[in-house]
Amino acid sequence: MTNAIDSLIGREVVPPPCDGLNIAKFASAFRSTNTSYKFLWATTLFSILAEGELTPEKISLRRLAAGMLDVARRPICIFRLRSSKDDQTGLWFRQLEDSPQWGRKVLTRPRGKVFAGRPQDIPGTIVEGLTKYVPYLFLTPFFETETRGITGPPKFQRIRALAKAHFDQSTPPPYRFSAAGAIVVHPKWAEYIVRNEYILKSWALWHWAQYMQRMNPVTPAVVTKLDENAKSNTRRQRNFWRRVMEARAENLSCIYTEQSVAPDDFALDHYVPWSFVVHDSMWNLAPVSVLGNTEKSDNLPDNATYFDAFTELQFMAVKSLHTFPDRGKWEDLFDSYSTELNLDVVGRVPDKAVLREALSGTIEPLMSIAGSRDFPSNWKFSSVLL
């Protein structure tokens, strides 16, 4: 969904018009939304139809629930974004973490779908919680006049009956309900959704991003964390640090484990976890041992223990840049020091104390916010693992 993420820059994306379909009512689906369910529902419905999984377009609520969990998994389980108090998605994921069928290792897989291939293993209570109301709420704009003044289950039963009654009319609703715990998508809507999948996903994502930003006002890169393709890419940064280490007479020592770190055997660690900052800026990266990087994972390191050593590595990186004969090839990697730390390290090597202050002034607030968002704090390497 990377292109869809790009489309969020600028004005709101809107569904394209279509003769014979009431797009104006369809476009009202995300009005007055206080949970993430409608965004997850719409995105899942669009994906299932576009992938051509089911013919005819009859989709079980369990399959839809599985898709909704797949859409929400990375933002909640990896990036730890929060929803409103009325949204139970985070609670359900915590239940799944403690279950023998799933567990945190499965729920924090970096990429891919987890639930779509195993919908039968999702507890019925979670399936019901995800799909009990949202199928009716999504259709509410189509039947506002007929359901005005009706609330709760009577309203949903009315929508169910109206969807069936209008399904074969000239301007049908997107779907009706079957007796077997499924929805049946109207062929005209199925064709429209498949033809406009990219635009419709961008539309749903735009609204979801506005909602999630309101729920996570101090969390960085919220929009990027909704991108199913977001990933770290440190190839050039690794090449830079390899050059630094190859120029040294002795190997570096890992700031976490104190193991030797060699040019051909190291990991590049995000000091403040990538799953929180979602960037690969040089000022947040340090070459460490594979063991240290693996154990640290997305924990927040204990600053009192590791920050000075981390600063030494950062100072080494800046000094090394100025010694490279081909420094122009690498200078763009250090632009983030200027844009994010307000420190020009390309023009000259700063005093170490100045660099330390700039790093501290940026990293400490980030770690404080991350800690308040359930990232484990004050992590120290467990030497018993050596």
Side-chain angles (χ1 to χ4, degrees), residues 270-277 283-284 296 300-301 363 366-367 370:
H270 294 75
Y271 190 74
V272 183
W274 179 85
S275 53
F276 181 69
V277 295
W283 59 262
N284 190 44
K296 176 175 173 284
L300 300 168
I363 287 175
L366 286 173
M367 293 180 72

Side-chain angles (χ1 to χ4, degrees), residues 3-303:
N3 291 332
I5 288 289
D6 293 341
S7 74
L8 297 186
I9 301 173
R11 62 186 178 87
E12 176 185 355
V13 181
V14 296
C18 181
D19 291 339
L21 298 179
N22 197 326
I23 303 302
K25 291 183 178 179
F26 182 69
S28 300
F30 299 132
R31 190 178 57 200
S32 302
T33 300
N34 63 353
T35 70
S36 63
Y37 303 159
K38 280 198 282 189
F39 311 121
L40 304 178
W41 171 266
T43 302
T44 299
L45 179 60
F46 301 158
S47 293
I48 291 176
L49 291 171
E51 291 166 8
E53 285 188 24
L54 302 167
T55 304
E57 293 81 6
K58 184 177 181 180
I59 311 172
S60 74
L61 294 181
R62 180 170 287 273
R63 174 63 187 88
L64 284 157
M68 293 169 72
L69 290 173
D70 275 326
V71 174
R73 179 182 66 84
R74 277 166 48 92
I76 293 177
C77 297
I78 295 179
F79 300 122
R80 302 172 191 263
L81 295 182
R82 294 178 180 176
S83 295
S84 71
K85 61 181 178 61
D86 297 320
D87 192 316
Q88 299 297 303
T89 314
L91 173 63
W92 292 326
F93 276 120
R94 288 193 291 275
Q95 292 175 2
L96 292 171
E97 283 185 10
D98 296 331
S99 68
Q101 294 93 341
W102 303 100
R104 180 155 183 80
K105 184 176 181 180
V106 172
L107 298 186
T108 55
R109 286 178 184 169
R111 305 287 294 279
K113 296 179 179 179
V114 169
F115 297 94
R118 298 169 53 189
Q120 70 280 358
D121 291 336
I122 304 172
T125 53
I126 294 179
V127 173
E128 181 181 6
L130 282 167
T131 62
K132 185 174 182 179
Y133 302 122
V134 71
Y136 304 101
L137 295 174
F138 193 80
L139 289 185
T140 295
F142 290 86
F143 307 114
E144 280 188 312
T145 301
E146 297 92 331
T147 60
R148 186 169 290 121
I150 309 173
T151 60
K155 178 179 180 178
F156 302 147
Q157 288 301 317
R158 180 68 172 145
I159 290 174
R160 189 182 187 97
L162 289 166
K164 181 179 180 180
H166 287 255
F167 200 69
D168 295 322
Q169 295 186 5
S170 57
T171 54
Y175 53 82
R176 63 175 175 81
F177 300 86
S178 78
I183 63 168
V184 179
V185 182
H186 194 281
K188 289 183 180 179
W189 279 101
E191 191 275 333
Y192 170 80
I193 289 169
V194 171
R195 186 176 69 249
N196 299 289
E197 180 204 8
Y198 164 70
I199 298 174
L200 295 178
K201 279 191 172 181
S202 298
W203 165 64
L205 181 59
W206 190 92
H207 283 277
W208 191 22
Q210 311 310 305
Y211 166 79
M212 292 301 280
Q213 189 65 73
R214 292 197 306 272
M215 297 300 105
N216 302 269
V218 297
T219 300
V222 168
V223 171
T224 304
K225 290 171 181 176
L226 302 182
D227 182 3
E228 61 190 10
N229 296 310
K231 62 180 179 178
S232 174
N233 182 4
T234 59
R235 180 183 58 82
R236 291 191 65 225
Q237 293 90 328
R238 283 183 59 85
N239 288 339
F240 177 87
W241 271 108
R242 188 176 290 112
R243 282 278 300 273
V244 172
M245 289 187 277
E246 288 173 346
R248 290 175 51 85
E250 299 179 351
N251 287 341
L252 295 176
S253 294
C254 173
I255 63 174
Y256 303 132
T257 68
E258 299 184 357
Q259 290 179 317
S260 177
V261 177
D264 59 350
D265 184 23
F266 74 97
L268 203 56
D269 175 63
H270 294 75
Y271 190 74
V272 183
W274 179 85
S275 53
F276 181 69
V277 295
V278 197
H279 65 62
D280 299 309
S281 296
M282 278 288 292
W283 59 262
N284 190 44
L285 297 173
V288 300
S289 67
V290 174
L291 177 62
N293 184 63
T294 299
E295 187 184 322
K296 176 175 173 284
S297 186
D298 61 357
N299 295 306
L300 300 168
D302 183 70
N303 247 5

